[in-house]
Amino acid sequence: MATKSSLLCLLAFSGNVLCDTHYLFSGFFSGDNIVALEFDDTASTLSVINNITTDASEGSKWIALDGSNENLYVATTGYIQSYSITSDLDLQYQSNISLSSNCTNANFIVASTAEPFTVFGAPYSTGCSSLAISVDSGVLDTSFASLEYDSTAGVHGLALSPASDFVYSADDMGNAVWVHSYDNSSGAVEEVQRLSAPTGANPRHLAVHPNGLFVFVVYEELSEIAVYSRDIASGELISTNTTYSLIPPTFTNTSSYWADEVLLSVPNTNGNAKSPKYLICGTRSHETSAPGYVAVFSLDSVTGNIVDQLFILPTTSSGGSANAVSPSKFSEDYFAITDSASNFVEVWKIETGAANSTASTVAHLDLDTGPANVVWLN
Ligand SMILES: *[C@@H]1O[C@H](CO)[C@@H](O)[C@H](O)[C@H]1NC(C)=O
Ligand SMILES: *[C@@H]1O[C@H](CO)[C@@H](O)[C@H](O)[C@H]1NC(C)=O
Ligand SMILES: *[C@@H]1O[C@H](CO)[C@@H](O)[C@H](O)[C@H]1NC(C)=O
Ligand SMILES: *[C@@H]1O[C@H](CO)[C@@H](O)[C@H](O)[C@H]1NC(C)=O
Ligand SMILES: *[C@@H]1O[C@H](CO)[C@@H](O)[C@H](O)[C@H]1NC(C)=O
Ligand SMILES: *[C@@H]1O[C@H](CO)[C@@H](O)[C@H](O)[C@H]1NC(C)=O
Ligand SMILES: *[C@@H]1O[C@H](CO)[C@@H](O)[C@H](O)[C@H]1NC(C)=O
């Protein structure tokens, strides 16, 4: 168990950097356990502090925190569940939203950080809609609206605009990106736009820059990151037709890789919450004998556009179905990564030098089953 002082560190947390200890939850592709982890950035250690048996009997394929860090939302087959987080980092089951019988593959969750803290969930199967879910004091209440797509769509990832007034959907099966508006007073959700992606791209996940001007889309099949510019008022996107490879430029075996995740570093320590330093992407290898890759980009501090690809580095293993990167909340230089082929979670640190930048593993924790994604509490 965590020590009393380290948990006090968590309770006192409000974006400070005074604590050496940081807490994460990790979900798993199968089984009913979710683990609470402790990362000590001085000792560079990562350890399990709580192994929690949940009500998610068919895995926790995706987990997401609410904005207050008091609730954890869990995607498990057939349901999106809500748990409250106790002061000793246990999870108490609260409620679930049950999915329709054809759309049970609960796969992604994003929680709005603005009133009324609406949660959006995506089941990943052809023709399924995503759900808009109301919350009551952080607990999932009812699914009050659907984000409709078309019969070819299969949405794998969602992201919200900074004001939570638009929802972006990465349509992996229908090879498109969708834009829906969300009106937080009427609860209305409406389609704004469907943009076809280039042939064979297959958008998987996406991230909206906090200044609202760019959306970065992972093309899973091409193992690329694509840059879309965004109109803040209409929510609409325009492809800039600019992409960056997420595997080494000399590789011609694109079909041996499947890009996974894109997220922005969390800019609470650089004095400008609208200006993250990095865009961080994880890519998996289809062969467990070959590593996946992590690619990090620097961003313009004013426009938010990509300035430079800082590096592409091999990950410790293939990533399995994961290689999901998760930027830390305490420093933009740290991110976690999950691997479901060799079953581990790692914490990496980015080092930026005058001439070049790199990153390396600072802590490694072996697990006995495959972790899906992790979320940082502090
Ligand atoms: C958590 O507990 C389960 C049994 O409930 C066990 O199979 C698993 O290995 C444990 N995981 C960790 C990381 O300790
Ligand atoms: C979902 O909620 C229903 C109604 O409360 C409950 O009967 C069921 O056990 C829950 N199932 C899961 C998997 O959360
Ligand atoms: C489920 O899918 C089948 C086959 O497409 C369809 O016939 C059926 O109406 C669907 N059921 C529901 C509940 O949507
Ligand atoms: C809608 O969002 C605005 C801006 O965040 C907020 O001031 C307002 O209270 C929200 N409305 C509702 C009904 O929650
Ligand atoms: C991107 O390419 C498409 C197709 O060639 C073209 O119609 C569009 O104008 C281009 N967009 C930009 C921003 O150049
Ligand atoms: C892809 O090709 C590169 C260069 O030949 C090779 O090093 C790598 O192992 C290949 N990857 C896979 C997954 O086969
Ligand atoms: C990057 O910078 C470090 C330290 O300045 C240096 O040791 C290393 O050789 C450089 N690497 C490359 C690829 O230029």
Side-chain angles (χ1 to χ4, degrees), residues 251 253 256-257 285-287 290:
F251 285 16
N253 50 354
S256 299
Y257 295 91
S285 156
H286 279 297
E287 306 298 331

Side-chain angles (χ1 to χ4, degrees), residues 238-241:
I238 296 173
S239 173
T240 67
N241 297 333

Side-chain angles (χ1 to χ4, degrees), residues 1-24 36-47 49 69 89 328-331 334 347 375-378:
M1 282 300 300
T3 62
K4 199 171 180 182
S5 64
S6 58
L7 285 177
L8 282 174
C9 196
L10 175 63
L11 292 172
F13 168 73
S14 55
N16 67 59
V17 291
L18 299 173
C19 295
D20 299 335
T21 45
H22 311 282
Y23 297 94
L24 313 89
L37 306 176
E38 180 179 298
F39 172 63
D40 181 322
D41 70 77
T42 301
S44 290
T45 52
L46 186 61
S47 51
I49 59 161
N69 278 359
L89 294 189
S328 89
K329 288 183 174 163
F330 69 93
S331 160
Y334 288 83
V347 176
V375 292
W376 292 82
L377 283 156
N378 67 327

Side-chain angles (χ1 to χ4, degrees), residues 106-150:
N107 192 71
F108 199 88
I109 304 167
V110 64
S112 159
T113 53
E115 293 270 9
F117 307 115
T118 303
V119 170
F120 297 87
Y124 181 51
S125 298
T126 314
C128 294
S129 305
S130 292
L131 309 176
I133 302 164
S134 63
V135 300
D136 183 2
S137 304
V139 175
L140 296 180
D141 192 10
T142 48
S143 169
F144 63 89
S146 310
L147 283 70
E148 301 290 343
Y149 309 110
D150 61 19

